[in-house]
Amino acid sequence: MTRTLPPATASKLAKLGIRSRHDLLYHLPLRYEDETRLTAPEAALPGVPQLVQAPVRRAEIAFRPKRQLVVHADGLVLRFLNFYGSQVKQFERAAQEGRHVRAYGEVRPGWFGAEIVHPRYRIVAPDEPLADTLTPVYPTTAGLGQAVLRKLVLEALEEEAIEEIVPTALRERLGLAPLEASVRLLHCPAPGADTAAAWRRVKFDELLAQQLQLRLARRKRRERTAPVLPASGALLKRFLGRLPFRLTRAQSRVMAELLRDLGQAHPMQRLLQGDVGSGKTIVAAIGCLAAVDAGWQAAVMAPTEILAEQHFRKFSAWLGPLGVAIAWLHGGLPAAERKNARKSIASGAASIAIGTQALFQEGVEFARLALAIVDEQHRFGVKQRLQLRKKSEQASAHQLMMSATPIPRTLSMSYYADLDVSVIDELPPGRKPVTTRLVSAARRGEVLERIRAACADGQQAYWVCPVIEESNDRDLQAALDAYEELRRELPRLRIGLVHGRMAPAQKAAAMQEFAAGATQLLVCTTVIEVGVDVPNASLMVIEHAERFGLAQLHQLRGRIGRGARASDCILLFQEPLSEGARARLKVIYESADGFAIAERDLALRGPGELLGERQSGAPLLRFADLVADEPLLADARAAADELLAADEPLAHRHIDRWLGVRADFGKV
Ligand code: ADP
Ligand code: MG
């Protein structure tokens, strides 16, 4: 039975994802405070919060060094810098009535004995009993105090039933503690109680909810219909007959997987994974053609304008000769052009639309969208990915997500488990491996010499500046300074500049000049990180490489080694190196394997970062940790199948219990 919550607190609880009294049961503590034991004020250890108690003697308002309420109790002084008049009265009354103050906080030695600043406190009778369980500290939000939350949880524990979902046989097989006992224990453990088994149960349940959710989403997708895009159309045939190069075996295999999905009447949801430079773009173009052949539209979305423009050029070169109309849309286009692009997308005059996320915002309407492709999908935040998912679900379109960042096993078993995955695990022939060198910034002179020699030999080079956030003025200034300095140091070279805050047209022009060989050295920020493809560039210098993340370094390095020449990636680092930076540089130096790098990245940073969780603000999993709890994840996967087969309504209740308002975030 679920009673409604008091309306005043309800809106605050909603912020925590708590919709009902029943949800409170699964709002578990972050940590505990020990109020089961009293420490004598003079015996309190410094730096550790403890519970102390003493009879109140008097309260006064002092003015030095600052206005404050000072409460004198036997052997104990409490100080409050912010206080109400009513508190002064409360302590005066306590002194008259011989009551005690019981305070929780860090005790420090002071003028008049032990002192606590701003403790949590209560006025109590001298013999008021102590708590016999630890005091939980819950995640909360502004204006909702722990005391209120605790009271609500205790009420919920009394009134709400905790339904066991996992059948006994399964529970015994997996060695799981019973749910009710676990939840009760975690809300009010006795001091010294072992909570490990209870947490394990909670984590299992959360992972199980996620697995169930993914399976149901997948099943639901199979129930929906999408346009059938056969692989037998005339345009596709003609394109395959005049490809700019021979597809690798991996590309051919993945193309077949893609075309098979598109030929079915259910929306595809496929992730195309292939290391940088493996040739995903042409596979995307082939998918688009299947849609165009069948009289439908396709959309290709890229995370940066530079990449969107590059796709637009490539697609135009490949498909333009076949008479395919392609529209290009991004936020930086002049209003008139944007309007035109929108119009041709809405009328169906454009068969393929290429752009940034602007494609799926600003009320762009597609006449007949059948295929939505997201390039470098890991670069979009969780929110954007969900938005896109919703859009293409409404349109019942097929979806292809592409990523150069391999998905570590734990993630592919969890967040990505409802996707079908294709992997291009082979690079086009003739690629020379990139040699990575770690060079101290003190040897900058030698590096400049290396650039001079390469450019004199007709090669091109990137100089990457450590602008991690394009919005950061100081970062940007450092890039501009680097550009000026390099122009002074290398006066004979033609040097270009590109960064995220240039106007889109300027950015495009700078990229064009570099691609055409008009500039020899491109000073840039991470705007070139994804997708940019200039095969003649064979040297890359990354300044302050110690500040970059692993995935970024790997992506950046993927910009070179695309032509026939052996390429060098020079990682300039500034000493001294932090331990984390040293670990990252070691990984990138030792490995060129995107998969190994991603596994290391996951271990060093945790899954939230990889998923773009930070942008979303909402935690994806509250209790389980994909890396630490990997064995539990495997158990949850197996259990999900059993449970779903045995009792589907129960599975729905389980999802609602653990994911609730977060249900959407279970999938990415
Ligand atoms: P990514 O998978 O990183 O998106 P791209 O699609 O940009 O890779 O391809 C990288 C480069 O390799 C491009 O210049 C592309 O034209 C070229 N390429 C792709 N496939 C092949 C192939 N089978 N043979 C030769 N070159 C190829
Ligand atoms: Mg690409």
Side-chain angles (χ1 to χ4, degrees), residues 44 261 292 426 594:
D261 278 6
V292 180
E426 178 184 5

Side-chain angles (χ1 to χ4, degrees), residues 380-386 608 611-620 665 668:
F380 293 93
V382 174
K383 258 201 190 124
Q384 290 166 316
R385 289 197 294 251
L386 284 173
L611 292 162
E613 174 184 62
R614 222 164 16 132
Q615 296 108 294
S616 85
L620 297 161
F665 288 104
V668 184

Side-chain angles (χ1 to χ4, degrees), residues 580-604:
R582 190 176 296 276
R584 287 196 300 277
L585 291 179
K586 185 166 183 293
V587 171
I588 207 80
Y589 175 72
E590 286 175 350
S591 180
D593 173 358
F595 193 82
I597 293 172
E599 291 280 357
R600 292 291 299 144
D601 205 18
L602 180 68
L604 290 171

Side-chain angles (χ1 to χ4, degrees), residues 231 236 240 247-263 268 270-275 278-288 290 371 373 399-403 420-427:
L236 188 55
L240 292 177
L247 295 184
T248 61
R249 266 207 334 273
Q251 280 172 317
S252 301
R253 186 188 67 238
V254 167
M255 176 184 79
E257 287 166 358
L258 171 66
L259 291 175
R260 192 192 57 218
D261 278 6
L262 294 179
M268 166 181 82
R270 188 167 279 280
L271 177 73
L272 168 48
Q273 188 187 303
D275 212 344
S278 61
K280 297 182 288 294
T281 319
I282 191 121
V283 177
I286 288 169
C288 290
L371 171 63
I373 299 182
Q399 267 196 72
L400 179 67
M401 282 142 282
M402 307 203 289
S403 176
D420 297 306
V421 180
S422 289
V423 184
I424 304 185
D425 50 4
E426 178 184 5
L427 293 179

